Amino acid sequence: MSLQPTTTVARIAGYVGETVTLAGWVYHKTGKGKLVFLLLRDGSGTIQCVIFKKQVSEATFALAQQLGQEAACRVTGSVRADERAPGGFELDVHELELVGPSVEYPISPKEHGVEFLMEHRHLWVRSARQHALLRVRAEVIAAAQEWLNEQGFIRFDSPILTATAAEGTSNLFATDYFDLGKAYLAQTGQLYVEAGMMAFGKVYCFGPTFRAEKSKTRRHLTEFWMIEPEVAFADHEDNLVLQEQFVSAIVQRVLERRAADLDVLERDTTVLKRCVPPFPRISYDDALALINAHQGEVEGATPVPWGEDFGAPHEQLIASQFDRPVFVERYPSAIKAFYMEPDPARPEVALCADLLAPEGYGEIIGGSQRIHDPELLERRINEHGLDVADYRWYLDLRRYGTVPHSGFGMGIERAVAWITGTRHIRETIPFPRMLYRIYP
């Protein structure tokens, strides 16, 4: 006999008045004399199952009374619409079958400390809030890839093990690679995606990236996922337009398809609904002036000398002045990666931009026009103290059919944190890797 249920909670609306079988886990249970109420979750949603003593066998009612939290079971009953019930539907139970053992579950409805929950992350992901966060994450990933596919992009997977670093080796994880010396866990797929761009015109990669910075902030992970599009015959302006269309499409799709999850998270969606192009744009110089004018409004957002990068408080202050994501463009070339194209009208700044999310979430996208002149690129590699020999293949992309091109990278976890309104990035990935966390 098949173990597959008749339907899922997500599709229960199509079965009102019919008898169905659901398979899932007991999320919560209450009892009132001759009634037992089971809140059953099956991964697609939750539904209240009502077990009335007169309508089931003695054995079935006794089993219902004994079921513990997270007991796996199959429930058969008739579907009834009820506006008062969670999700608007209830199941009047006829039969109940225990599939997995009913034992005491470690994560009870009481409050638990963060350390305890992180130690039990493999179980914590079943809770309503974590479930909602990870469903939004899945929607963001699907929306990002599907939108790019619809725009004619080709997915072009980049390696995780690399022989060189994209931006220096100071914050990379190194490993011995057989007899060939050191290899590094990739901090970006961008350089390799540029090779794909020269083959296909519009490409993107999507996968895990790694940063060995010893940071403990709530915005930092040592392993995170990034989606990185790259476009041939595209300048800095084209790049900004692509980014705002991309982000807006993702946010609007989450609002449309994951509204119930945002409700679980108690997310105020007002700011998300404003996430439509065009996004405001300010220069690095304008951002310095803005910080000077509003210093003291955000703790730690003190004036920044020209030529230094912004910290989290500065990004928070800048974004607080706008009602939707804002581009900060044309940063000093000296504080940016070697591959960024200088502004022809002002070579000391690069044709680059960071997209800052509202509400203090900081940078969710970094992008730039790339240097397409081989001589300039080689000079920049030398200026950054990198070995030109390691980048022969990358220089080849400029020697054979070079074109102006641009791209960007969006960190999935940063974007999900902002969209969901969660304050800790550790909750936006199934198993976060942080400075002092690699278990489970």
Side-chain angles (χ1 to χ4, degrees):
M1 182 179 72
S2 173
L3 290 175
Q4 286 293 296
T6 305
T7 187
T8 63
V9 174
R11 297 181 176 180
I12 204 71
Y15 292 85
V16 173
E18 298 183 32
T19 297
V20 301
T21 297
L22 298 173
W25 298 266
V26 177
Y27 191 72
H28 186 61
K29 185 185 76 175
T30 57
K32 290 183 179 180
K34 297 179 180 181
L35 284 172
V36 174
F37 299 93
L38 297 180
L39 193 59
L40 187 80
R41 65 169 191 86
D42 71 348
S44 74
T46 58
I47 189 170
Q48 183 163 275
C49 303
V50 183
I51 304 164
F52 188 33
K53 189 173 184 179
K54 288 185 178 180
Q55 295 179 350
V56 297
S57 68
E58 289 187 13
T60 296
F61 193 75
L63 174 59
Q65 291 178 307
Q66 296 166 8
L67 287 176
Q69 185 181 353
E70 288 302 313
C73 53
R74 286 164 54 85
V75 182
T76 300
S78 56
V79 181
R80 174 167 49 86
D82 189 335
E83 292 181 357
R84 300 167 298 174
F89 300 93
E90 282 188 343
L91 193 72
D92 289 328
V93 176
H94 306 155
E95 299 176 19
L96 178 64
E97 176 190 351
L98 181 65
V99 177
S102 180
V103 297
E104 186 175 355
Y105 189 63
I107 303 179
S108 63
K110 69 178 184 180
E111 288 291 324
H112 294 281
V114 171
E115 269 306 305
F116 176 87
L117 292 171
M118 291 302 292
E119 286 288 316
H120 293 81
R121 182 64 176 169
H122 51 295
L123 303 178
W124 191 24
V125 294
R126 304 181 188 185
S127 71
R129 177 178 169 80
Q130 302 306 310
H131 194 263
L133 282 164
L134 295 178
R135 285 184 73 88
V136 172
R137 175 193 171 93
E139 194 69 50
V140 167
I141 291 170
Q145 293 199 93
E146 289 171 22
W147 189 86
L148 289 171
N149 293 342
E150 290 168 0
Q151 307 305 311
F153 284 76
I154 298 295
R155 177 164 172 169
F156 187 84
D157 293 326
S158 58
I160 291 175
L161 285 170
T162 68
T164 57
E167 300 171 14
T169 60
S170 60
N171 63 348
L172 288 183
F173 291 101
T175 185
D176 293 324
Y177 194 78
F178 304 108
D179 297 328
L180 298 180
K182 291 290 184 184
Y184 304 95
L185 294 181
Q187 61 187 164
T188 175
Q190 180 210 310
L191 273 61
Y192 294 94
V193 175
E194 288 186 58
M197 171 272 304
M198 292 291 284
F200 296 99
K202 296 198 292 187
V203 296
Y204 70 94
C205 68
F206 175 59
T209 56
F210 306 86
R211 301 288 167 89
E213 302 166 59
K214 292 185 176 180
S215 174
K216 295 186 290 184
T217 73
R218 62 179 175 83
R219 299 169 55 187
H220 184 80
L221 293 169
T222 58
E223 176 185 309
F224 60 97
W225 287 65
M226 191 152 60
I227 190 160
E228 301 178 79
E230 200 78 21
V231 184
F233 303 101
D235 63 14
H236 174 60
E237 177 62 26
D238 297 323
N239 200 22
L240 298 188
V241 171
L242 178 65
Q243 289 175 53
E244 62 190 7
Q245 291 175 345
F246 177 68
V247 171
S248 178
I250 292 169
V251 170
Q252 299 311 313
R253 173 160 156 170
V254 170
L255 286 170
E256 176 188 348
R257 301 192 184 186
R258 299 267 64 92
D261 294 310
L262 295 175
D263 284 344
V264 169
L265 298 167
E266 300 180 331
R267 177 60 161 127
D268 180 358
T269 58
T270 305
V271 68
L272 299 180
K273 291 173 182 175
R274 292 198 296 262
C275 184
V276 292
F279 294 168
R281 303 173 188 183
I282 64 171
S283 68
Y284 172 85
D285 294 332
D286 292 337
L288 290 181
L290 189 151
I291 292 167
N292 287 331
H294 294 273
Q295 59 177 298
E297 294 181 13
V298 173
E299 185 179 355
T302 53
V304 177
W306 197 95
E308 291 190 10
D309 208 350
F310 301 133
H314 302 107
E315 292 180 343
Q316 181 180 345
L317 187 153
I318 294 165
S320 70
Q321 306 301 309
F322 302 91
D323 68 350
R324 66 198 67 196
V326 55
F327 288 110
V328 180
E329 56 179 335
R330 290 175 165 80
Y331 284 78
S333 299
I335 62 173
K336 288 298 183 179
F338 70 88
Y339 49 73
M340 294 188 180
E341 179 78 17
D343 184 345
R346 192 183 171 197
E348 67 271 22
V349 300
L351 295 177
C352 65
D354 290 344
L355 183 62
L356 307 183
E359 305 169 282
Y361 285 91
E363 178 193 341
I364 55 173
I365 285 181
S368 72
Q369 184 172 331
R370 321 306 194 187
I371 293 174
H372 60 278
D373 177 78
E375 293 182 2
L376 175 56
L377 181 59
E378 184 169 346
R379 189 160 67 247
R380 292 282 287 167
I381 291 171
N382 282 316
E383 289 171 357
H384 277 72
L386 302 173
D387 188 346
V388 173
D390 291 336
Y391 295 88
R392 290 192 308 272
W393 68 272
Y394 190 58
L395 286 163
D396 277 350
L397 303 179
R398 277 72 178 169
R399 295 188 179 107
Y400 306 106
T402 188
V403 297
H405 60 285
S406 300
F408 63 89
M410 184 183 81
I412 295 297
E413 291 77 18
R414 287 265 185 101
V416 172
W418 165 55
I419 292 170
T420 59
T422 186
R423 304 309 299 177
H424 290 280
I425 201 168
R426 65 189 174 212
E427 297 182 47
T428 63
I429 188 170
F431 295 96
R433 296 293 178 247
M434 299 175 290
L435 183 57
Y436 298 115
R437 171 67 57 189
I438 199 169
Y439 174 90

